[in-house]
């Protein structure tokens, strides 16, 4: 697909939280950075009856809640808003799709991007209606926001409907983690530099740990979160996508399918779960009242609209392996949770000890820490001699690279900004293919089944901690620890 010279971008769910909190601000940043292609129109559709001007005024008010440096000036907003339009649309009415087709046909843009920022249960209905209205021609791309399904069967049903209407090359399944600059640097680190690749294997690496920690609770998302949980919300998509990039073989090219083929091989090589291994290698938890950042916070069961007997997990830690020649025997540990001690997302590559120690004192193994948020950078932990007395013990030193400082002169592109621009340009590299998505559901399925069959509730943990003690015990069985100093 070639980059568009003109585009129409349609947001289904044009008055929803995702559109005004994430998508419109990201588009504005692309506009401010001069990266949004000229000749574009942005159309919001929703059930409310309002004019273009009324919607633009509504959007202007919403922009006041955007982070200060990212808010438009009056002049900037006026120029940006001239691209924004609104149409009332009942997604169940075929004639409304016909009117949308007529609106889009007014000028025959080079590319039409249809972004489904709605509840996932509407995806199949919308796609079927788009097909019936002829809004699936080769110029059309459809963007599907997560979560894509609730389990393997529902994901397969969504994909069957999408494939009946659109070609795979037209379907952009979004995982916003893949748009983060820090995740782009995972690819650059592995495949743009020569010195890591010889060490990127079982002979040199003892274990790999992925932490996606949040200090916030569920807030007002109680009803949604209680039907989802941490495994579906973070592990099945974000954490597994990070794991595949870490473990994949070098792709032959930087093309989308070459990359996604290698990621799929990793997902297929993950050690499958059994009821016995779920009990041993998966820890689920639920936060209780505690203290975060000096403030008392309620437990999950006291959150708004959460059932008092909920067994929804707000924390998951698990151990797995990639069963191939490169990684055989290397444990991969994944953990995520809400109301943890800090907001932190990072990957820790723990290297093996030197095979024969010649220096006195403890021999701490080298570590490579890939920081995803709130910082964005790399930290390499080495051992060095201070140059003092003969026979001294080695001391740990850190080589620290902060990408925000290193690239301070450049306007770094946010996740949704990058992904929206890629969708307009037709670049699929950072989007998830249907077989990847289904294989991820296939892998987590036995965990969901085991929990559903178990009488055991999630393990309680105090808000402001690092989760249930069982998560530390799971890692300790292999002789390792979590990096809880983050």
């Amino acid at each position: 697909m070639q980059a568009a010279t003109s585009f129409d971008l349609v947001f289904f769910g044009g008055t929803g939280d995702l559109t005004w909190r994430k998508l419109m601000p990201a588009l504005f940043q692309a506009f401010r950075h001069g990266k949004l292609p000229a000749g574009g129109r942005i159309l919001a559709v929703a059930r409310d009856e309002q004019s273009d001007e009324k919607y633009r005024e509504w959007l202007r008010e919403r922009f006041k809640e955007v982070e200060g440096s990212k808010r438009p000036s009056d002049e900037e907003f006026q120029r940006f808003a001239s691209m924004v339009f609104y149409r009332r649309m009942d997604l169940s009415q075929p004639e409304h799709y016909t009117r949308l087709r007529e609106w889009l046909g007014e000028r025959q843009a080079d590319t039409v991007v249809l972004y489904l920022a709605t509840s996932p249960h509407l995806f199949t209905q919308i796609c079927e209606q788009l097909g019936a209205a002829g809004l699936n021609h080769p110029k059309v791309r459809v963007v599907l926001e997560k979560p894509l399904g609730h389990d393997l069967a529902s994901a397969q049903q969504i994909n069957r409907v999408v494939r009946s209407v659109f070609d795979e090359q037209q379907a952009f399944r979004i995982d916003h983690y893949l748009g983060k600059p820090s995740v782009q640097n995972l690819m650059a680190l592995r495949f743009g530099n020569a010195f890591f690749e010889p060490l990127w294997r079982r002979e040199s690496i003892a274990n790999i740990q992925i932490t996606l920690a949040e200090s916030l609770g569920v807030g007002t998302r109680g009803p949604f979160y209680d039907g989802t949980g941490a495994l579906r919300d973070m592990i099945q998509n974000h954490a597994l996508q990070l794991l595949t990039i870490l473990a994949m073989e070098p792709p032959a090219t930087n093309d989308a399918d070459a990359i996604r083929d290698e990621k799929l091989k990793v997902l297929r090589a993950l050690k499958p779960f059994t009821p016995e291994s779920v009990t041993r290698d998966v820890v689920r938890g639920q936060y209780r009242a505690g203290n975060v950042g000096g403030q008392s916070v309620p437990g999950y069961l006291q959150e708004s609209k959460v059932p008092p007997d909920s067994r929804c997990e707000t924390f998951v830690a698990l151990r797995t392996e990639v069963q191939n020649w490169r990684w055989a025997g290397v444990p991969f540990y994944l953990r995520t949770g809400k109301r943890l001690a800090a907001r932190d997302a990072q990957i820790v590559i723990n290297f093996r000890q030197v095979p024969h120690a010649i220096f006195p004192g403890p021999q701490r193994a080298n570590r490579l820490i890939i920081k995803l948020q709130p910082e964005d950078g790399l930290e390499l932990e080495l051992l060095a001699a201070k140059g003092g007395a003969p026979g001294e013990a080695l001391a740990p030193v850190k080589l620290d690279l902060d990408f925000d400082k290193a690239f301070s002169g450049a306007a770094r592109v946010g996740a949704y900004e990058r992904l929206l621009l890629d969708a307009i340009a037709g670049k699929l590299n950072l989007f998830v293919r249907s077989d990847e998505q289904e294989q991820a559901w296939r892998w987590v399925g036995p965990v969901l089944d085991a929990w559903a069959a178990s009488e055991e509730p999630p393990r309680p943990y105090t808000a402001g901690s690092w989760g249930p003690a069982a998560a530390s015990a799971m890692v300790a069985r292999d002789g390792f620890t979590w990096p809880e100093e983050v």
Side-chain angles (χ1 to χ4, degrees):
M1 294 184 179
Q2 299 298 315
T5 54
S6 65
F7 71 91
D8 283 333
L9 173 55
V10 181
F11 289 130
F12 292 85
T15 55
D17 277 9
L18 177 64
T19 298
W20 70 261
R21 287 184 187 276
K22 299 290 186 181
L23 303 179
M24 286 294 191
L27 277 177
F28 170 71
Q29 291 305 312
F31 174 80
R32 172 182 273 178
H33 297 154
K35 295 180 179 179
L36 200 60
R41 294 189 302 180
I42 303 162
L43 176 67
V45 301
R47 294 181 67 108
D48 307 329
E49 186 70 65
Q50 55 184 318
S51 64
D52 294 341
E53 283 306 317
K54 187 176 178 182
Y55 181 79
R56 290 165 184 165
E57 283 303 312
W58 176 87
L59 188 61
R60 183 197 295 271
E61 290 300 309
R62 302 286 82 74
F63 266 77
K64 291 178 181 178
E65 299 183 34
V66 173
E67 182 184 334
S69 63
K70 296 183 179 180
R71 290 178 197 161
S73 66
D74 289 343
E75 186 271 336
E76 283 178 319
F77 183 81
Q78 188 172 357
R79 288 192 292 119
F80 174 72
S82 67
M83 302 172 62
V84 177
F85 302 86
Y86 179 86
R87 289 186 71 86
R88 180 184 177 277
M89 192 167 174
D90 183 336
L91 299 179
S92 66
Q93 299 300 313
E95 62 269 23
H96 288 204
Y97 291 84
T98 301
R99 293 173 194 164
L100 174 62
R101 185 191 65 209
E102 292 168 354
W103 188 87
L104 293 169
E106 289 174 2
R107 63 178 195 135
Q108 297 294 318
D110 296 306
T111 297
V112 176
V113 178
L114 307 174
Y115 197 121
L116 308 194
T118 67
S119 174
H121 78 271
L122 295 173
F123 287 177
T124 54
Q125 174 186 311
I126 295 172
C127 287
E128 287 171 342
Q129 294 278 18
L130 290 171
L135 284 171
N136 60 340
H137 54 80
K139 293 182 179 181
V140 172
R141 294 156 195 163
V142 63
V143 181
L144 302 163
E145 181 66 47
K146 84 167 191 76
L148 283 164
H150 194 72
D151 53 19
L152 177 60
S154 58
Q156 289 175 325
Q157 172 60 16
I158 291 172
N159 284 330
R160 275 194 293 270
V161 172
V162 172
R163 280 194 294 266
S164 72
V165 178
F166 299 98
D167 292 338
E168 182 65 37
Q169 296 296 307
Q170 293 175 282
F172 289 67
R173 297 169 187 83
I174 200 165
D175 184 332
H176 74 268
Y177 250 70
L178 295 181
K180 289 179 177 288
S182 50
V183 177
Q184 301 312 298
N185 274 313
L186 273 181
M187 296 287 288
L189 175 75
R190 287 210 54 201
F191 308 125
N193 298 283
F195 52 86
F196 282 118
E197 178 58 25
L199 304 177
W200 213 260
R201 57 193 64 248
R202 67 185 185 279
E203 291 85 356
S204 300
I205 292 177
N207 66 86
I208 293 178
Q209 302 179 0
I210 300 174
T211 295
L212 304 177
E214 298 178 83
S215 59
L216 295 175
V218 297
T220 60
R221 299 173 70 227
F224 163 78
Y225 195 88
D226 202 68
T228 304
L231 186 72
R232 292 183 176 95
D233 193 42
M234 297 295 288
I235 297 292
Q236 184 272 337
N237 39 69
H238 303 329
L240 279 187
Q241 284 294 317
L242 294 175
L243 187 154
T244 59
I245 296 172
L246 289 165
M248 65 191 276
E249 294 298 317
T253 67
N254 196 34
D255 292 338
D257 279 333
I259 294 169
R260 298 191 295 184
D261 286 346
E262 297 301 336
K263 288 162 63 183
L264 179 61
K265 290 177 186 176
V266 174
L267 291 169
R268 287 175 172 166
L270 285 174
K271 186 176 182 179
F273 283 109
T274 65
E276 295 73 27
S277 67
V278 170
T279 301
R280 183 183 65 247
D281 294 335
V282 182
V283 176
R284 63 170 173 160
Q286 188 184 87
Y287 64 83
R288 297 294 187 258
N291 190 290
V292 176
Q295 299 290 323
S296 296
V297 296
Y300 178 72
L301 297 180
Q302 287 74 54
E303 298 281 15
S304 175
K305 298 182 180 179
V306 170
D309 58 348
S310 173
R311 296 176 59 184
C312 175
E313 80 284 356
T314 62
F315 175 95
V316 176
L318 62 83
R319 180 194 190 279
T320 189
E321 296 179 18
V322 179
Q323 297 179 313
N324 61 21
W325 276 41
R326 181 186 287 264
W327 296 112
V330 176
F332 285 71
Y333 304 106
L334 281 59
R335 68 172 173 174
T336 186
K338 291 190 174 295
R339 287 294 189 212
L340 296 181
R343 174 179 177 262
D344 190 87
Q346 65 172 17
I347 298 161
V348 179
I349 315 294
N350 289 300
F351 290 91
R352 297 190 183 278
Q353 296 274 9
V354 293
H356 176 64
I358 63 172
F359 297 99
Q363 301 295 297
R364 183 171 176 174
N366 303 134
R367 296 199 306 174
L368 174 65
I369 302 172
I370 303 166
K371 301 176 183 179
L372 305 177
Q373 69 180 29
E375 296 90 6
D376 176 10
L378 297 174
E379 191 175 281
L380 182 60
E381 294 186 358
L382 306 171
L383 293 175
K386 294 180 181 178
E392 68 177 347
L394 300 182
V397 295
K398 296 180 180 180
L399 301 177
D400 197 350
L401 174 60
D402 185 324
F403 289 127
D404 287 327
K405 292 179 181 177
F407 304 128
S408 59
R412 305 200 73 199
V413 177
Y416 273 110
E417 180 182 351
R418 171 70 183 267
L419 293 170
L420 284 165
L421 289 173
D422 280 2
I424 293 169
K427 296 179 181 178
L428 282 158
N429 298 45
L430 302 181
F431 294 86
V432 180
R433 202 167 59 192
S434 61
D435 50 3
E436 280 184 85
Q437 178 215 11
E438 290 178 14
Q439 185 60 32
W441 277 119
R442 192 171 285 113
W443 184 71
V444 302
V447 180
L448 295 169
D449 292 342
W451 288 350
S454 172
E455 295 297 323
E456 289 291 322
R459 297 173 185 267
Y461 65 95
T462 303
S465 70
W466 280 108
S472 297
M474 179 187 70
V475 177
R477 286 202 310 266
D478 296 330
F480 306 123
T481 59
W482 291 107
E484 296 191 350
E485 69 276 12
V486 294

